[in-house]
Amino acid sequence: MDSTVLHKSIKSPKWWRTAVIYQIYPRSFADGNGDGIGDLVGTTARLESLRSLGIDAIWFSPFFKSPQKDAGYDVADYKTIDPLFGTNQDFDDLLAKAKSLDLKIIVDLVPNHSSEEHELFQAALNASPGSPEREMYIFRDGKGANGELPPNNWESVFGGNAWTRTTNPDGTRGQWYLHIFDSSQPDFNWENPKVHALFEDVLRFWLDKGVAGFRIDVAHGMVKAKGLPDVQVPVSQTVDDEETEHPFWGQEGVHEIIRSWRKIVDEYDDRVMCAEAWVLPLSRMAKWVREDEYHQTFNFGYLETGWNKAGLLKVITDSLTEFGKVGAPSTWVLSNHDVIRHVSRYGLPGVPPQGDGIGPNSEQPDEAIGLRKGRAATAFMLGLPGSSYIYQGEELGLPEHTTLDGKYREDPTWFRTNGERVGRDGCRVPLPWEAHGGASRGFSANGKSWLPQPDNYARYARDLQEGVAGSTLELYKRLIKLRKVHALGSGEFKFSPENSSETTLAYINNDVLVISNFGPDSVNVPAGELLVTTQHDLTIEGVLEHDQTVWLKL
Ligand code: TEU
Ligand code: CA
């Protein structure tokens, strides 16, 4: 470790370069009409809580018209709010209130696939092979004497085959269509200019409404290799070396699409596109955020690093170096709706593969140590320069629901693997707002909730933490506030070898020294004005205990 400056301070950064962006998973944030599913009216009523948290922007997971086979990532109409969540008017009202609270709104764009219920897919099913309707999606004849075998060996991310065979109107078997995700999510054919036109129109529709930008789902998908060749390497959802080509992840042609979107987005003032691209290593990920492409991309390398000193030292160095080379800010993220909540990951000796989840038969996390490490990890993350993402509930220290009964599960992963992989529902459970707010703890006025909360959620309810010194909620508020006061999002950043030891890692961002202790023993910290610490409120007495982070003013 040396003290090279890895990030230079930026004088007047664009808002998204330093923003703390809060992810709302709409069906689990707040229910306004008592059906047990979160919605826009419920969310609008709770918006002040996000203002007080101090965040800059909200990214909403999809709330568009959808049969909800993949919790809304199967979109049937990109310009209409699903009645489950409300109306387009409810969205306009939400946007207006957010604006009055100085909160920006980012919406989710799902361009790789639609729902099977999208009118274009229905038209394709009802049209004949080779027709313009079928050309909107990826239909192929099967292999084998009677077309009974799928066109290639591609597998669905959720398990099983990535192809489903259609049935003709006369009952005979027909062509196959491609779905990299669930069979209810047919992939669009991005070779077709009409698909480009469709999404350009969608972009403008939401930009004209005044959203601050888009989170782009499967942002490195869309284009498939010519001829749809078999996957050679074992089927994996990420490309994780420098060179290997993959027939459906990170094809060169995707960059052209992004450039065309960037032109549209740049016609508007100060909007942003954030890419969900599970691509590693970081040098490869950085190609998605070159000057004329996406503005930023979720740093999944950081998310996967875990609570360990050497790993964080490396991933931060690589991130700031690689994103720096292309002039993009790095982002930092620990949790989202696809991964086990980070406090629960840190409570386990090893982390299950992404998307697998934790079920009643799995090893159970240690809740106390997980929370402790989780708080320390968040404090370490929020001092870094760039933009940070927070997933709803983590500001409460909320753990994963790790014992959810199979009968409640909705993730397609659960169905497609016959329960072998329990899937992602455990991180999607509705939020506890009030400890004594009925069976769903204030999520819904009548106690309903589409997934039941585990008993321990009572301890994490927001009202128990509001204004309580040392609570996770107050810790997040303080970190986000200090981050602004000291301009850490755009700060000059370097590691601090002189303040690090064998078990601690220290960095300096502007005038703030951040130290985390990863080891089992307490260590002494240098004198300095205490700004925040993750284990004691306001007093520290010069000692940093295990799994604790402290911010000191230099
Ligand atoms: O995820 C894309 C993706 O590749 C993974 O995060 C995937 O969800 C995970 O590996 C499954 O275990 C995005 C969304 O974030 C996710 O919620 C959707 O299910 C998926 O796209 C399909 O739209
Ligand atoms: Ca509702």
Side-chain angles (χ1 to χ4, degrees):
M1 183 195 330
D2 60 39
S3 53
T4 315
V5 171
L6 290 170
H7 186 272
K8 292 203 187 93
S9 116
I10 309 172
K11 285 289 158 273
S12 6
K14 295 263 192 204
W15 71 270
W16 45 269
R17 288 189 164 264
T18 64
V20 176
I21 301 173
Y22 183 96
Q23 179 187 0
I24 287 190
Y25 197 65
R27 56 171 49 229
S28 299
F29 187 72
D31 179 16
N33 67 352
D35 66 353
I37 300 174
D39 50 48
L40 298 186
V41 166
T43 300
T44 304
R46 298 279 194 186
L47 272 189
E48 279 87 358
S49 68
L50 299 183
R51 176 68 287 148
S52 73
L53 184 56
I55 53 131
D56 303 291
I58 302 166
W59 146 40
F60 277 89
S61 277
F63 39 43
F64 314 105
K65 198 157 181 291
S66 161
Q68 307 290 327
K69 296 270 177 63
D70 185 21
Y73 281 95
D74 49 324
V75 182
D77 176 351
Y78 290 87
K79 300 205 281 194
T80 305
I81 304 286
D82 194 290
L84 198 61
F85 300 119
T87 63
N88 281 37
Q89 183 60 49
D90 292 337
F91 178 78
D92 294 343
D93 294 346
L94 186 153
L95 195 63
K97 178 154 176 204
K99 207 168 172 198
S100 74
L101 293 169
D102 202 16
L103 294 169
K104 296 184 159 63
I105 302 289
I106 293 171
V107 295
D108 212 311
L109 185 77
V110 188
N112 180 71
H113 46 265
S114 71
S115 159
E116 62 188 344
E117 288 187 13
H118 196 289
E119 61 179 15
L120 289 169
F121 188 70
Q122 286 304 314
L125 281 181
N126 291 324
S128 47
S131 61
E133 286 84 356
R134 289 223 164 164
E135 281 304 300
M136 293 299 281
Y137 292 86
I138 303 179
F139 284 86
R140 291 289 182 278
D141 294 331
K143 285 185 175 159
N146 301 305
E148 72 281 10
L149 299 172
N152 68 21
N153 74 350
W154 297 2
E155 284 174 18
S156 155
V157 171
F158 296 145
N161 208 288
W163 294 91
T164 290
R165 196 169 187 187
T166 60
T167 303
N168 296 318
D170 65 1
T172 59
R173 303 308 302 277
Q175 287 190 302
W176 299 68
Y177 67 89
L178 177 70
H179 52 87
I180 298 298
F181 293 90
D182 188 53
S183 57
S184 65
Q185 295 166 297
D187 281 52
F188 277 114
N189 170 20
W190 277 91
E191 300 293 321
N192 186 342
K194 284 190 190 147
V195 172
H196 292 240
L198 175 80
F199 279 93
E200 286 169 11
D201 177 54
V202 172
L203 285 175
R204 288 187 191 281
F205 177 81
W206 292 101
L207 287 167
D208 288 339
K209 270 196 183 295
V211 304
F214 304 91
R215 174 266 190 188
I216 316 280
D217 188 62
V218 204
H220 62 316
M222 299 175 271
V223 177
K224 276 77 190 176
K226 286 242 162 355
L228 311 183
D230 278 353
V231 177
Q232 299 304 332
V233 286
V235 179
S236 112
Q237 58 160 342
T238 52
V239 178
D240 52 13
D241 63 41
E242 195 63 56
E243 299 303 332
T244 312
E245 261 225 45
H246 191 286
F248 53 88
W249 297 136
Q251 284 282 309
E252 263 312 298
V254 183
H255 293 287
E256 261 170 63
I257 301 174
I258 304 166
R259 289 192 191 103
S260 69
W261 289 351
R262 179 66 186 251
K263 285 202 189 104
I264 294 173
V265 170
D266 281 351
E267 287 173 25
Y268 296 77
D269 194 22
D270 235 8
R271 314 294 172 95
V272 64
M273 287 189 292
C274 183
E276 187 224 17
W278 283 90
V279 182
L280 291 171
L282 286 157
S283 53
R284 197 162 179 158
M285 190 183 264
K287 293 200 176 122
W288 298 95
V289 287
R290 290 176 289 198
E291 224 180 15
D292 54 351
E293 301 196 31
Y294 295 124
H295 297 74
Q296 55 185 230
T297 171
F298 295 111
N299 192 338
F300 293 122
Y302 189 79
L303 185 151
E304 287 180 337
T305 297
W307 178 239
N308 80 80
K309 180 188 150 156
L312 287 169
L313 175 63
K314 178 166 168 29
V315 74
I316 292 167
T317 306
D318 291 353
S319 301
L320 294 175
T321 307
E322 295 301 336
F323 291 121
K325 278 187 203 160
V326 294
S330 185
T331 66
W332 314 103
V333 58
L334 292 170
S335 284
N336 67 29
H337 67 292
D338 288 331
V339 301
I340 295 165
R341 286 181 172 278
H342 68 274
V343 294
S344 299
R345 296 202 306 271
Y346 298 156
L348 286 172
V351 181
Q354 194 259 318
D356 278 16
I358 302 173
N361 301 325
S362 323
E363 181 176 1
Q364 294 296 306
D366 180 322
E367 201 175 320
I369 194 72
L371 179 59
R372 182 179 179 114
K373 288 183 179 175
R375 288 163 54 113
T378 297
F380 187 81
M381 174 180 93
L382 286 174
L384 298 171
S387 172
S388 280
Y389 283 83
I390 290 177
Y391 176 50
Q392 69 177 38
E394 67 167 271
E395 76 279 18
L396 307 176
L398 207 63
E400 185 89 355
H401 190 334
T402 56
T403 54
L404 186 65
D405 196 310
K407 71 178 182 218
Y408 296 112
R409 293 196 179 269
E410 291 200 9
D411 185 350
T413 313
W414 164 262
F415 298 106
R416 292 183 67 88
T417 63
N418 291 319
E420 201 183 304
R421 297 165 62 196
V422 297
R424 302 162 293 175
D425 293 306
C427 65
R428 300 174 172 179
V429 175
L431 296 186
W433 290 90
E434 284 109 27
H436 301 291
S440 63
R441 302 184 177 99
F443 166 69
S444 173
N446 60 8
K448 281 200 186 156
S449 97
W450 71 281
L451 289 176
Q453 296 165 344
D455 291 342
N456 61 2
Y457 273 31
R459 294 204 298 276
Y460 295 88
R462 198 178 204 276
D463 68 337
L464 297 182
Q465 303 196 36
E466 190 80 64
V468 176
S471 70
T472 304
L473 178 62
E474 291 304 322
L475 173 66
Y476 269 70
K477 284 186 193 171
R478 194 173 175 89
L479 291 166
I480 294 170
K481 188 170 176 196
L482 287 166
R483 181 184 159 83
K484 286 229 165 82
V485 171
H486 295 269
L488 303 187
S490 57
E492 180 179 285
F493 175 95
K494 57 188 184 215
F495 282 107
S496 175
E498 58 277 16
N499 288 300
S500 303
S501 70
E502 212 176 308
T503 60
T504 62
L505 182 57
Y507 64 76
I508 295 172
N509 188 350
N510 284 346
D511 59 346
V512 177
L513 170 64
V514 175
I515 315 175
S516 288
N517 184 3
F518 300 84
D521 303 319
S522 298
V523 295
N524 292 322
V525 293
E529 180 194 330
L530 177 71
L531 294 173
V532 61
T533 157
T534 57
Q535 282 308 315
H536 319 272
D537 203 60
L538 297 182
T539 59
I540 185 170
E541 293 157 359
V543 174
L544 190 62
E545 293 169 354
H546 72 96
D547 305 307
Q548 179 180 0
T549 296
V550 66
W551 290 20
L552 300 169
K553 187 170 179 316
L554 288 178

